[in-house]
Amino acid sequence: MIEGWNYFWQGLSDFITVRTIFDVIWSTQLGIIVGMLPGLTATMGVALMTTLTFHMSPENAILILICMYVGAIYGGSRSAILLNIPGTPANAATAMDGYPLAMRGEAGRAIGISTTGSFLGSIIGMIMLAFFTPLLGNFALNFQSFEFFWLAVFGIVISGNLTAPKDPVKGWISGFLGLFIALIGMEGIHGFVRFSFGNTNLSGGINLIPAMVGAFGFAEILSMMKYERANVINSKIERILPKVRDIFRYRKTIVRSGLIGTLIGAIPGVGEDIAAWVSYDFAKRGSKDSNEFGKGSVEGLMAAETGNNAAVAGAVIPVLSLGIPGSAPAAVLLAAMFIHGVRPGPLIMIESPDFVYKVVAMVFLATCAMFVLGLSMVKYVVKVLQVPRTKLMPIIFTLCVIGSYAIQSRIFDVRVMIFFGILGFVMQQMEYPVAPMILGLILGNMLDTNFRRALVIAEGEALPFISRPICLVLISFIVLTLVSKTRWFNICTTVIMTKMRSLISR
Amino acid sequence: MVDAKMARKDFIASIVLIAFSLTIIIMSYTMPRLERRGIDPFSAPGVVPGMIGLVLLCLALILFVRSVRYGGYRITKGTTDTVQTQNQKGAAVRVMLTLFVSLVYAIGFLGRLNYSVSTALFIFAFICLFEIQPGRSLWNQRKIILFALVQAVVASLLITVVFQNLFLVDLP
């Protein structure tokens, strides 16, 4: 623990240079602007920024990406409050109470509350990141091929379940489709080329960054261009600094939402939007003024913003400890780490424990920058919302194209981006979530190599897959996730709950 | 509860997915098992793709059965009954236009035409396509055209300079 503190302070002091502070400020501000603009998501921002930081040193590049990530998730609250259009999906719950507050002429107060909530959520997430990453990393050292196989399956199943709550089948289809796409190209055990149809570009596999830029960037451009121009509301922004009374009054909500946000963020492939909704739902259930929710509740706004920003740090926990992303932007972050030669996963606490705490210091710097920038220059920055999408989207598309191309200087990657853009758009229209597909793209190799390796170790026996303790826990989670949406499961839980209540009342 | 429109979409998607997953299964089954190289049959390259194909097939069948239950198979009847609103038609046109102009730039121009020129052309065409109103004369909309031209040239030059000189990217 003390060693961790030392690493953290060492990392933080290394970052306190004029150049780094400058990088932190511009990247966080850019993140806020990206998040603010409907149609530009955090994933897209981090993916595009990965291509721009390609030539930087690993630490600088990852710091900039984390700043962009933290800034974008917070920035989305601005358009949610002022336009009733969430800048990123993570801010959908923010619009529920942020916009009614703005309509009442309290836009400044709403921005102040969302900034403070995001700051506190991010700090709670950061503490959890520092505490749980080493624990999870050390625990994951016990994992063998059997456990990694089940972990990959669990990631797909839970991600599909939570990102498509109305229809988990579509979430699972998306996830398994991603797993299949990951298998295209040369496999990792015997070097055999699969599903390439003689195409040399395909034999190298599908690169994650162009796929993500397409699925989250180009698909979003197509979705945005579907609609006519959004109306910009000129809401008056007065006092932005939050009142201490507001924060102190909702301290329980803040802590609860922070913890929920971090936990949801740490679940593979789920992300900040679900974290915000769950935090909001818990706050509503626990509030004395639950009737106010949806009508401009400060508590609701605080819960949503605390939850989504706590999820940012939460999503980084499995990235560092397991090499599995907690959310879509964290998936890009993971890919960027690989590009820069950092190998996240269970061995990170043995190979480079200082890096884990450097990431904690990066989150801390990004959080501080977000708080300061969030409370200043608001009136000027919100003017960006007035830029028409017809002028913005062609530039974003140009960046998607050159960003995909820049990684390996291949036109093929631009085509991959286009393909995934169209696929992502079609999936959106048919209500298939895109996040499980991207998670599948990341986990595909892990699932493939570990399953076959485990089969060889077990000499084709199925028993080791189901008899090892961690495997059993993961299998029970998977089964529970699969059956949790079935009608008979709901009936059973209702009967059990009713019986328990009657027993307690006796 | 699945509405009729979504059931139709699900029905089509499930058929596509069934065909796709069957193709994966067949291709995985016919994939070499590399026995000549003395490789353990459990580590054959087709094992995992085959397994994923089977899971996808099961999920597609669930989707198929469910869409049939909700009447998704009534394709011809449903499409003739559906009256698209003007807004939906407009949205479809905007998406098709965006797709068309983006594909012309990314697949048609890139690598064939100078990067700066093709980027400027794309930005200019994109803005004009969505901002110029067809009914009005171009002279009355000269401000839009001029602004689009300035934005296209400035953005294209800026992107070229930044990526070529700052990020050292060998532009297409």
Side-chain angles (χ1 to χ4, degrees):
Chain A
M1 195 70 194
I2 294 166
E3 204 180 3
W5 267 109
N6 291 339
Y7 281 133
F8 173 74
W9 287 114
Q10 182 61 45
L12 198 62
S13 58
D14 286 350
F15 288 131
I16 308 292
T17 62
V18 176
R19 164 76 202 269
T20 317
I21 299 289
F22 174 70
D23 282 344
V24 167
I25 291 170
W26 74 257
S27 51
T28 311
Q29 186 63 72
L30 193 62
I32 293 173
I33 292 170
V34 164
M36 235 169 76
L37 291 165
L40 304 191
T41 58
T43 315
M44 188 184 185
V46 181
L48 283 177
M49 196 49 82
T50 303
T51 63
L52 302 184
T53 53
F54 191 51
H55 296 282
M56 288 186 179
S57 70
E59 280 172 12
N60 242 20
I62 290 158
L63 172 69
I64 287 171
L65 296 182
I66 287 177
C67 289
M68 166 63 84
Y69 186 7
V70 172
I73 294 297
Y74 158 72
S77 65
R78 295 273 175 90
S79 47
I81 291 167
L82 297 172
L83 300 180
N84 201 22
I85 302 170
T88 68
N91 308 97
T94 308
M96 293 288 288
D97 289 297
Y99 187 67
L101 275 169
M103 292 293 281
R104 287 204 312 235
E106 293 181 80
R109 186 182 178 209
I111 290 174
I113 293 290
S114 76
T115 311
T116 316
S118 299
F119 172 75
L120 294 170
S122 205
I123 292 290
I124 294 170
M126 186 199 79
I127 295 166
M128 303 271 277
L129 171 69
F131 187 71
F132 281 106
T133 307
L135 284 182
L136 196 60
N138 287 330
F139 178 67
L141 283 173
N142 300 319
F143 284 22
Q144 287 186 8
S145 294
F146 305 97
E147 284 83 7
F148 276 115
F149 164 71
W150 284 118
L151 192 65
V153 177
F154 171 68
I156 293 301
V157 171
I158 191 111
S159 170
N161 211 44
L162 293 179
T163 52
K166 270 198 232 161
D167 192 354
V169 172
K170 290 186 175 179
W172 299 330
I173 288 176
S174 171
F176 280 95
L177 197 64
L179 284 178
F180 170 73
I181 295 168
L183 302 183
I184 295 171
M186 195 181 282
E187 47 99 17
I189 296 183
H190 307 302
F192 183 80
V193 178
R194 297 181 290 203
F195 308 107
S196 73
F197 307 101
N199 185 317
T200 43
N201 285 314
L202 268 181
S203 62
I206 301 292
N207 200 331
L208 181 67
I209 299 288
M212 289 198 78
V213 170
F216 290 99
F218 186 38
E220 210 57 50
I221 292 172
L222 291 174
S223 296
M224 290 308 291
M225 291 312 293
K226 244 179 101 172
Y227 306 105
E228 297 274 13
R229 191 184 162 181
N231 293 324
V232 179
I233 294 157
N234 286 319
S235 188
K236 260 194 176 180
I237 300 167
E238 284 156 355
R239 183 195 157 96
I240 292 158
L241 274 176
K243 290 173 190 160
V244 180
R245 186 165 47 100
D246 276 345
I247 298 155
F248 190 73
R249 193 175 160 198
Y250 301 119
R251 61 192 181 281
K252 274 186 192 167
T253 307
I254 292 168
V255 173
R256 186 179 50 218
S257 305
L259 295 177
I260 291 170
T262 315
L263 188 73
I264 302 272
I267 299 173
V270 176
E272 298 79 15
D273 43 346
I274 310 284
W277 280 116
V278 176
S279 304
Y280 185 81
D281 187 48
F282 269 81
K284 192 177 175 181
R285 284 182 202 197
S287 174
K288 288 173 193 163
D289 309 313
S290 57
N291 290 339
E292 277 299 302
F293 277 64
K295 296 171 191 162
S297 161
V298 171
E299 191 178 3
L301 177 63
M302 186 73 96
E305 276 302 301
T306 309
N308 65 20
N309 262 75
V312 173
V316 181
I317 297 174
V319 166
L320 292 173
S321 55
L322 301 171
I324 294 174
S327 67
V332 193
L333 197 65
L334 177 67
M337 284 182 187
F338 279 121
I339 288 171
H340 286 284
V342 179
R343 288 197 324 131
L347 287 175
I348 201 163
M349 285 312 292
I350 294 169
E351 287 174 351
S352 46
D354 57 324
F355 182 75
V356 172
Y357 294 97
K358 273 186 182 166
V359 171
V360 178
M362 289 174 194
V363 173
F364 179 69
L365 285 173
T367 305
C368 292
M370 178 260 288
F371 187 60
V372 174
L373 294 167
L375 295 178
S376 53
M377 299 192 298
V378 176
K379 284 174 196 169
Y380 306 102
V381 175
V382 292
K383 287 204 188 299
V384 178
L385 287 173
Q386 288 167 348
V387 177
R389 61 184 62 157
T390 47
K391 287 189 171 57
L392 195 66
M393 290 305 156
I395 294 177
I396 301 299
F397 182 71
T398 318
L399 290 175
C400 288
V401 168
I402 195 65
S404 307
Y405 176 83
I407 301 222
Q408 288 185 316
S409 296
R410 291 196 306 178
I411 293 282
F412 173 73
D413 286 331
V414 177
R415 290 183 182 155
V416 168
M417 184 274 289
I418 297 278
F419 173 79
F420 276 89
I422 297 170
L423 182 67
F425 177 72
V426 172
M427 283 173 73
Q428 270 182 27
Q429 300 310 303
M430 298 185 80
E431 295 179 3
Y432 286 80
V434 180
M437 182 178 74
I438 297 299
L439 187 71
L441 202 52
I442 292 168
L443 297 181
N445 188 40
M446 181 172 134
L447 181 133
D448 179 36
T449 48
N450 283 297
F451 181 69
R452 288 190 289 153
R453 202 175 288 150
L455 268 181
V456 172
I457 294 168
E459 294 174 341
E461 289 283 322
L463 197 66
F465 280 94
I466 50 170
S467 60
R468 297 166 65 90
I470 301 170
C471 289
L472 271 174
V473 173
L474 287 168
I475 293 169
S476 38
F477 277 138
I478 293 167
V479 173
L480 203 67
T481 312
L482 288 173
V483 298
S484 65
K485 296 280 173 176
T486 53
R487 201 181 299 161
W488 60 265
F489 180 83
N490 287 334
I491 294 167
C492 284
T493 45
T494 319
V495 170
I496 292 166
M497 290 299 279
T498 324
K499 283 197 172 171
M500 277 178 74
R501 268 188 212 126
S502 64
L503 277 173
I504 292 163
S505 60
R506 271 183 214 170
Chain B
M1 186 68 196
V2 179
D3 64 75
K5 211 174 167 186
M6 192 46 75
R8 252 196 313 276
K9 285 181 182 175
D10 286 351
F11 181 74
I12 298 165
S14 66
I15 289 172
V16 172
L17 279 167
I18 288 169
F20 181 68
S21 50
L22 281 174
T23 314
I24 297 174
I25 294 167
I26 293 164
M27 284 181 79
S28 306
Y29 187 74
T30 53
M31 219 174 257
R33 283 155 212 187
L34 311 172
E35 285 132 331
R36 279 186 194 169
R37 282 161 60 180
I39 279 163
D40 194 313
F42 293 118
S43 71
V47 171
V48 176
M51 192 176 74
I52 291 171
L54 273 173
V55 176
L56 270 175
L57 181 66
C58 292
L59 293 169
L61 284 173
I62 294 172
L63 200 65
F64 177 79
V65 171
R66 207 180 53 187
S67 65
V68 168
R69 262 177 56 199
Y70 286 105
Y73 57 90
R74 288 192 284 261
I75 298 168
T76 46
K77 212 176 172 184
T79 44
T80 46
D81 282 349
T82 310
V83 181
Q84 279 193 316
T85 63
Q86 210 58 27
N87 276 347
Q88 281 173 321
K89 274 184 185 170
V93 169
R94 277 193 295 275
V95 170
M96 292 316 284
L97 276 177
T98 310
L99 198 59
F100 172 74
V101 76
S102 307
L103 287 179
V104 167
Y105 167 63
I107 293 173
F109 286 0
L110 222 64
R112 292 189 178 91
L113 211 66
N114 175 281
Y115 177 77
S116 310
V117 175
S118 56
T119 303
L121 272 175
F122 164 70
I123 296 172
F124 178 72
F126 194 104
I127 298 171
C128 288
L129 213 56
F130 287 100
E131 290 199 351
I132 287 179
Q133 291 164 8
R136 289 173 62 198
S137 76
L138 286 178
W139 180 250
N140 289 340
Q141 301 182 72
R142 61 188 181 277
K143 265 189 182 173
I144 295 172
I145 298 169
L146 199 70
F147 194 84
L149 194 68
V150 172
Q151 188 188 332
V153 172
V154 170
S156 161
L157 285 177
L158 212 66
I159 292 168
T160 306
V161 169
V162 167
F163 276 87
Q164 201 163 45
N165 302 333
L166 208 66
F167 302 129
L168 307 172
V169 175
D170 185 18
L171 293 173

